[in-house]
Amino acid sequence: MGRIFRNLFVAGCVVLWLIPLYLLVVNALTPVTAYTGRPDWAPRGFAVWENLSTAWSDAGIGDSFLSSLVYAVVCGAAAVVVAAMAAFAVVVLPIPKPVFWFWLIYSGTLFPLQMFLAPLFGMYADGNLYDTRLGLMLVYVAWAVPFAFFLIRNQMTTMPPEVTEAAMLDGASFRRIFWRIHVPLMGSSLAAAFIFQFTAVWNDLLFGITLSRSPDIQPVMAALTTLNNAYASSGPPVILAGALIVSLPTLVVFLVFRGLFLRGITATAR
């Protein structure tokens, strides 16, 4: 009986997740001229290419899409490298008070992002970093490091210290031990951390609308809010087509790397 209720609960959660996705796809297919002002449960036509073209080119989603792709890939990878070095320092290097350094870095995930907006905006305005790609990339890397550090450090603590000791006896430096031993052994955890940070940076809206305003600088989620304001009079089909575009990269990343992601999560949970 308990198994039946559990299966029904899971099925209900799946249905609740699929209904909004179904409505998004169906209404993105609807021609703007055929939209009645209420969500359609069945397609009223097939204008998905027109809606996608309007959202991509005319509304400027394309420029922001490419900018977000750069932000997500470069900043996600940079955050993972920095986090792996920090985890190596805390777990392997003989530094004083490693627990203090762990909590200092991990505390970056404990505070709400809203408390950083006013100081960041003032600092960026004074330092000529406002509305620049460099400014957004700096804040994305800093924001992504703490959680990536937490994931990577969890797996690094499971690695036997004898591996490091044997390498040191052979004359290897800490730099060589990190790049030649720990990084290859932590490949799945590094990949899982990168997928997490890629998704987080891609889905960011708060920093995007606060620290940028130019269409070619803004991340795609900020551009989607602009699309919502500019094309509200033409109806949701164009807006939903834009939402469909921005949903694809994270979906593709998870589908393509799901095996690697699951192995990484399993490794960090040990």
Side-chain angles (χ1 to χ4, degrees):
M1 185 64 69
R3 184 175 182 180
I4 294 176
F5 281 115
R6 184 179 65 225
N7 292 339
L8 289 175
F9 175 76
V10 172
C13 291
V14 171
V15 170
L16 289 175
W17 184 84
L18 288 177
I19 287 176
L21 179 62
Y22 171 79
L23 288 174
L24 185 150
V25 173
V26 166
N27 287 273
L29 297 174
T30 303
V32 173
T33 55
Y35 189 73
T36 61
R38 300 182 63 183
D40 292 318
W41 289 88
R44 291 179 175 269
F46 189 82
V48 63
W49 301 118
E50 291 83 352
N51 294 336
L52 289 174
S53 177
T54 301
W56 181 268
S57 301
D58 299 344
I61 285 288
D63 293 335
S64 298
F65 184 96
L66 297 177
S67 294
S68 270
L69 195 61
V70 172
Y71 297 149
V73 173
V74 174
C75 299
V80 168
V81 172
V82 174
M85 292 180 177
F88 182 80
V90 169
V91 176
V92 178
L93 296 184
I95 62 173
K97 299 181 180 179
V99 176
F100 166 78
W101 292 109
F102 165 76
W103 283 108
L104 180 65
I105 299 172
Y106 182 64
S107 64
T109 65
L110 305 179
F111 300 102
L113 297 179
Q114 290 80 356
M115 68 181 295
F116 302 115
L117 293 182
L120 267 176
F121 182 83
M123 182 178 68
Y124 271 44
D126 294 338
N128 295 323
L129 289 173
Y130 178 76
D131 199 32
T132 63
R133 284 195 176 92
L134 177 60
L136 282 175
M137 293 175 76
L138 288 175
V139 75
Y140 283 146
V141 172
W143 171 44
V145 164
F147 187 70
F149 164 78
F150 175 76
L151 291 177
I152 298 168
R153 180 255 182 195
N154 280 356
Q155 186 191 3
M156 198 172 290
T157 56
T158 66
M159 298 176 63
E162 290 79 11
V163 174
T164 302
E165 294 172 0
M168 293 179 65
L169 288 175
D170 290 338
S173 63
F174 282 121
R175 179 183 299 177
R176 190 177 184 86
I177 292 171
F178 174 74
W179 289 109
R180 294 297 182 88
I181 298 177
H182 283 73
V183 168
L185 291 177
M186 295 187 304
S188 58
S189 296
L190 296 176
F194 172 77
I195 293 172
F196 268 117
Q197 304 319 317
F198 178 94
T199 305
V201 173
W202 182 270
N203 290 330
D204 170 67
L205 172 63
L206 195 60
F207 290 125
I209 62 176
T210 304
L211 302 177
S212 64
R213 66 170 181 268
S214 301
D216 59 331
I217 301 296
Q218 276 191 330
V220 71
M221 292 300 171
L224 191 60
T225 62
T226 305
L227 176 66
N228 189 20
N229 296 329
Y231 285 81
S233 59
S234 64
V238 173
I239 301 171
L240 293 176
L244 192 61
I245 293 173
V246 304
S247 302
L248 290 178
T250 52
L251 180 62
V252 170
V253 167
F254 273 107
L255 290 178
V256 172
F257 300 105
R258 63 184 182 277
L260 189 62
F261 176 74
L262 291 175
R263 289 197 300 271
I265 292 299
T266 302
T268 57
R270 291 174 183 173

